[in-house]
Amino acid sequence: MYQGKKAVLIFGVGPLQESIINRAKKMGLYTVGIDPATDAVCRERVDAFEIVGGQDYEGTCAVIEKYGIDAIVTAATDKPLVMMARMAEKYHFPFYSVETAQWSTDKFQMKQHFMEGGIPCAKGRLVKAVEEVEDFEYPVIVKPRDNSGSRGVKLCRDKAELEAAMSEALEVSHLDTVLVEEFIEGPEYSIEGLHHDGKNEVIQFTEKKTTEFPYNVELGHIQPANITEGNKQKIREIVSKIGKALHFESCPSHTELKINDRGIFVIETSPRLGGDYITSTLTPLSTGVNLEDELLRMALGETIHPEPQHVQYSGVRFFAFKEGSIIKHVPDVQFVKEWPHVVDFSFHLKEGDEVNRITSSLNRYGHLTLTAGNHESIEDAFEKYEKAIMERCLNDLK
């Protein structure tokens, strides 16, 4: 139909999907994008764009049939996973089951499958009122069951904070209960995996930097993470258990966990690509494996043979200036990109803007991506460049 090209349907046509749209086009695929937003950011990048609501089953079917779709994908979002699973069931696309999609997009059902599968995780329960967790020790973590990107996730140190956080979480949820969990100490990591042909493979280990509590928003990532070989092997075994417990197949996975003196604790997982440039940029730079390409091949029913290797260190930082600061100068994008080690740079504030408090991944305002030969070098470069950018933005320059 499209000069011999296979057609791929991409769920979501926003900035999170920009990279996979570009990869699909580079692979010679005809790209069809659907999004409920009429002004979707990447609507001009796909070959065909259709406005379809996230819960519009018939509308999604109509697009698949109109374009003779051969494969379905998305990137860095949980929202369309259940609909995608329903489409896969109807049209026999390579994908996981509707049940797997439902378990993976409800944090409580996910936790239930963790416990049934022997996967170490935080103690937690669903609640409607603060009195229902009086047996928990503070601090605790509140989460909406059905959202991502740190939206509505908050640490609470007492009953008053818990009550306020539950209200915030319900505002970004479609459900009438929230998940309250014990707080797990320790550094946080994400694990990038692939699940195919009955295999559960870890491709890369990602080290995280987050905001200070009460919010827990990701501010940076470095690959490969500084994790002992012993813990890496334990994590591989945990990821395999996750794949089996949640029935992951023909998909990537993005698993978040913490490590402390008591062991390894899984925070949550999702059968999709990670956001924040983790899988679109950092993993190809650090391992030589492009997870978006592998996902597209799996979606087309092709056999994959990922062979990760250590190429270099890669990392991204999201800027976090002091709340209330006023931007006095905007750094020159092209100039910053010419610095050694810099792969990419963006800055979304203007002169005179006031710096907001970062409460979720949606209100961050710029990033810096670097590569280096070792962990110390990339940390040093981040420290040097972030300081230079901050001085440029916030200081009066003569």
Side-chain angles (χ1 to χ4, degrees):
M1 184 181 293
Y2 312 108
Q3 296 180 336
K5 294 182 177 181
K6 291 187 176 181
V8 59
L9 177 59
I10 300 166
F11 285 69
V13 192
L16 294 175
Q17 290 77 44
E18 181 176 8
S19 181
I20 199 166
I21 291 169
N22 293 337
R23 297 306 301 183
K25 292 176 78 70
K26 188 172 183 179
M27 289 174 66
L29 300 173
Y30 186 84
T31 55
V32 180
I34 57 173
D35 199 293
T38 58
D39 58 348
V41 173
C42 295
R43 61 175 296 166
E44 299 300 327
R45 292 185 176 271
V46 291
D47 295 304
F49 174 70
E50 300 279 352
I51 301 167
V52 180
Q55 304 304 313
D56 188 349
Y57 180 86
E58 297 299 333
T60 307
C61 290
V63 170
I64 289 173
E65 293 170 13
K66 175 181 177 180
Y67 293 96
I69 295 298
D70 297 291
I72 56 173
V73 296
T74 191
T77 180
D78 297 326
K79 290 182 178 180
L81 298 185
V82 174
M83 181 63 74
M84 292 175 71
R86 294 178 70 190
M87 293 299 108
E89 183 178 71
K90 179 177 175 66
Y91 295 101
H92 308 291
F93 296 127
F95 208 73
Y96 40 82
S97 68
V98 174
E99 289 78 16
T100 290
Q102 291 169 337
W103 301 336
S104 303
T105 52
D106 183 320
K107 291 180 172 62
F108 181 66
Q109 291 189 55
M110 182 190 302
K111 185 174 293 294
Q112 287 180 310
H113 282 81
F114 284 169
M115 293 186 288
E116 291 169 5
I119 297 157
C121 60
K123 179 178 68 176
R125 71 169 65 115
L126 293 183
V127 300
K128 288 186 177 182
V130 293
E131 290 76 19
E132 296 174 44
V133 288
E134 288 184 346
D135 58 322
F136 276 34
E137 290 186 9
Y138 288 96
V140 296
I141 295 286
V142 171
K143 298 178 178 179
R145 291 168 58 184
D146 56 343
N147 216 320
S148 59
S150 301
R151 290 182 287 278
V153 178
K154 201 170 183 180
L155 177 103
C156 308
R157 298 179 179 86
D158 55 41
K159 186 175 180 178
E161 289 185 356
L162 175 57
E163 194 162 17
M166 286 175 61
S167 295
E168 286 184 38
L170 287 170
E171 287 178 3
V172 293
S173 174
H174 296 99
L175 304 172
D176 62 355
T177 56
V178 299
L179 180 61
V180 177
E181 293 182 338
E182 64 173 330
F183 174 63
I184 302 295
E185 296 279 359
E188 189 170 341
Y189 305 89
S190 72
I191 313 302
E192 323 317 322
L194 283 173
H195 306 265
H196 61 100
D197 305 309
K199 302 174 185 177
N200 301 286
E201 297 186 73
V202 170
I203 303 300
Q204 186 55 291
F205 303 84
T206 308
E207 189 172 304
K208 290 190 178 191
K209 178 183 179 182
T210 61
T211 59
E212 294 182 0
F213 290 107
Y215 298 101
N216 188 43
V217 184
E218 295 171 11
L219 287 182
H221 311 282
I222 290 178
Q223 294 181 350
N226 189 16
I227 300 175
T228 67
E229 287 303 318
N231 278 335
K232 284 182 178 179
Q233 184 54 38
K234 290 177 183 177
I235 290 168
R236 291 187 186 99
E237 292 168 4
I238 288 171
V239 169
S240 183
K241 285 184 177 182
I242 288 172
K244 292 172 183 175
L246 292 168
H247 302 171
F248 286 176
E249 182 56 46
S250 297
C251 65
S253 67
H254 177 69
T255 300
E256 297 175 335
L257 54 81
K258 286 189 173 185
I259 302 176
N260 60 31
D261 293 341
R262 293 191 292 137
I264 299 169
F265 296 86
V266 176
I267 306 303
E268 56 191 62
T269 190
S270 185
R272 55 135 171 110
L273 297 171
D276 287 351
Y277 307 101
I278 292 173
T279 47
S280 63
T281 304
L282 301 189
T283 303
L285 288 171
S286 69
T287 70
V289 175
N290 191 303
L291 290 172
E292 292 175 332
D293 289 356
E294 302 298 339
L295 171 58
L296 286 161
R297 293 188 186 103
M298 284 192 294
L300 290 164
E302 299 175 2
T303 302
I304 65 168
H305 300 285
E307 296 181 5
Q309 55 187 310
H310 177 64
V311 179
Q312 60 189 338
Y313 280 75
S314 62
V316 63
R317 286 281 175 85
F318 298 90
F319 303 118
F321 300 161
K322 184 178 179 181
E323 180 185 2
S325 302
I326 304 299
I327 300 300
K328 297 180 178 178
H329 301 274
V330 175
D332 181 271
V333 172
Q334 293 307 316
F335 179 72
V336 173
K337 285 184 177 180
E338 291 175 1
W339 292 349
H341 306 294
V342 173
V343 175
D344 194 25
F345 167 73
S346 70
F347 196 76
H348 308 307
L349 298 177
K350 306 183 297 298
E351 288 186 16
D353 282 352
E354 182 176 329
V355 175
N356 57 263
R357 183 178 192 179
I358 296 173
T359 58
S360 81
S361 60
L362 296 179
N363 60 3
R364 296 176 305 198
Y365 43 83
H367 79 282
L368 179 68
T369 306
L370 306 179
T371 59
N374 56 58
H375 196 281
E376 183 179 6
S377 295
I378 202 166
E379 286 277 21
D380 289 347
F382 273 127
E383 182 178 355
K384 175 182 176 181
Y385 294 158
E386 284 185 295
K387 182 179 178 181
I389 291 167
M390 185 177 297
E391 289 178 348
R392 171 71 188 177
C393 290
L394 301 184
N395 294 341
D396 288 313
L397 303 177
K398 297 180 180 179

